[in-house]
Amino acid sequence: MNAMSICTTSSSSSSSSSSSTKAWIFHGVAVGAAVAVAIGAHVYLNLRRPGKFRTRVVGIIPARFASSRFPGKPLVQILGKPMIQRTWERAKLASSLDHVVIATDDEKIADCCRGFGADVIMTSESCRNGTERCNEALEKLGKKYDIVVNIQGDEPLIEPEIIDGIVKALQAAPDAVFSTAVTSLKPEDALDPNRVKCVVDNRGYAIYFSRGLIPFNKSAKVNPQFPYLLHLGIQSYDSKFLKIYPELTPTPLQLEEDLEQLKVLENGYKMKVIKVNHEAHGVDAPEDVEKIERFMHERNLS
């Protein structure tokens, strides 16, 4: 509503003059406030230019033994190495990470990880998801970090450049508390609920994630011409937001889709998304192990 129209409705000239004066005072205050906000925003953004803030970064690989679909998954052998070791070795190559740790609630996983030289943080069995495990690990680290990267332990071929990419995206987006990556969705994965899909807006912020195909057209068929996006799972958080996350009440969409990032969106926070050219090779079920080993053999990856 226009403030001037509220202040100038009167039948007498004296009242009109008084109202007009009030209107100009009100207008002046409003303009002054707007200028102050603009200056404040300018200072805020300048303080948060890439490289000027969120500079201390830790990578955390959450790993649990108990999995409904694949118990003991972090320890499964992939061409002679535990999967968790392969993920850790790839993460260590990311130039943006100051430190990489593995967070687990299982002694078998912890012993295995210490055996190949990883730093391990023991976390509670009560953590409901990887994000909460990352938060607990961050608290136990005892060092101050600005960004926490949640690196999925079941992505043994994760590209270090993707880790660096989502870190840079969060450093460059002061209005976001979370960043993640997507790639092109293969047609054969369109209806697989283990392959999470994503839609983003024109500025690269997440709109929604789903185990179903999104967007879903009225023909109820996959459109081979549409650039569907596959969520890669890796994500980074502003460390202050990570401390808030466990206190947020689980949300309906999060619970229905069983996707923790939806709690971020449902609570009104912004999430930056980058698109990368990466062939996803996540291990969600036992049959995926053979697929990834075959892929590695074909490309002479050891």
Side-chain angles (χ1 to χ4, degrees), residues 5-255:
S5 64
I6 294 174
C7 295
T8 55
T9 52
S10 174
S11 57
S12 70
S13 59
S14 136
S15 172
S16 176
S17 173
S18 173
S19 296
S20 178
T21 301
K22 289 178 182 178
W24 279 109
I25 292 172
F26 184 89
H27 179 70
V29 170
V31 169
V35 170
V37 169
I39 293 171
H42 178 72
V43 171
Y44 179 85
L45 291 172
N46 274 316
L47 288 173
R48 285 156 175 74
R49 285 176 180 167
K52 298 294 184 183
F53 87 124
R54 289 175 175 168
T55 57
R56 295 160 296 188
V57 186
V58 61
I60 300 178
I61 306 172
R64 65 190 185 102
F65 192 89
S67 169
S68 57
R69 288 177 294 178
F70 196 170
K73 180 168 66 169
L75 301 182
V76 67
Q77 295 284 311
I78 296 179
L79 295 185
K81 285 184 182 180
M83 179 167 65
I84 189 72
Q85 180 177 353
R86 290 192 174 277
T87 303
W88 176 79
E89 289 175 347
R90 299 295 291 174
K92 292 280 285 183
L93 297 175
S95 62
S96 60
L97 301 182
D98 299 308
H99 192 194
V100 178
V101 300
I102 294 171
T104 185
D105 59 3
D106 186 88
E107 286 295 345
K108 293 185 290 296
I109 293 175
D111 289 343
C112 172
C113 295
R114 292 187 188 107
F116 58 74
D119 289 334
V120 178
I121 299 289
M122 296 304 297
T123 53
S124 169
E125 292 182 3
S126 65
C127 293
R128 292 171 291 185
N129 50 52
T131 304
E132 291 190 7
R133 198 171 303 282
C134 284
N135 179 54
E136 184 179 336
L138 178 64
E139 291 176 351
K140 291 184 174 180
L141 274 172
K143 289 185 68 176
K144 185 174 177 61
Y145 290 99
D146 304 306
I147 291 177
V148 177
V149 184
N150 179 347
I151 302 164
Q152 301 295 310
D154 56 7
E155 283 279 351
L157 297 182
I158 185 68
E159 297 289 346
E161 293 80 9
I162 295 177
I163 297 173
D164 293 336
I166 66 168
V167 169
K168 289 175 183 175
L170 192 55
Q171 289 172 334
D175 56 345
V177 297
F178 190 119
S179 65
T180 190
V182 296
T183 192
S184 298
L185 178 72
K186 295 179 182 177
E188 60 266 31
D189 291 334
L191 303 180
D192 184 347
N194 292 323
R195 299 292 187 250
V196 176
K197 294 79 176 176
C198 175
V199 286
V200 301
D201 67 17
N202 291 334
R203 297 177 60 230
Y205 290 89
I207 297 174
Y208 194 66
F209 295 84
S210 180
R211 295 185 180 278
L213 184 64
I214 52 173
F216 192 74
N217 61 53
K218 62 184 179 182
S219 74
K221 296 177 182 178
V222 178
N223 178 1
Q225 305 304 317
F226 191 86
Y228 299 104
L229 298 176
L230 171 69
H231 184 220
L232 292 179
I234 186 169
Q235 44 213 26
S236 72
Y237 326 92
D238 181 283
S239 61
K240 294 184 180 66
F241 170 74
L242 184 58
K243 293 176 182 177
I244 296 171
Y245 179 88
E247 300 172 6
L248 298 175
T249 303
T251 53
L253 295 176
Q254 174 205 0
L255 295 174

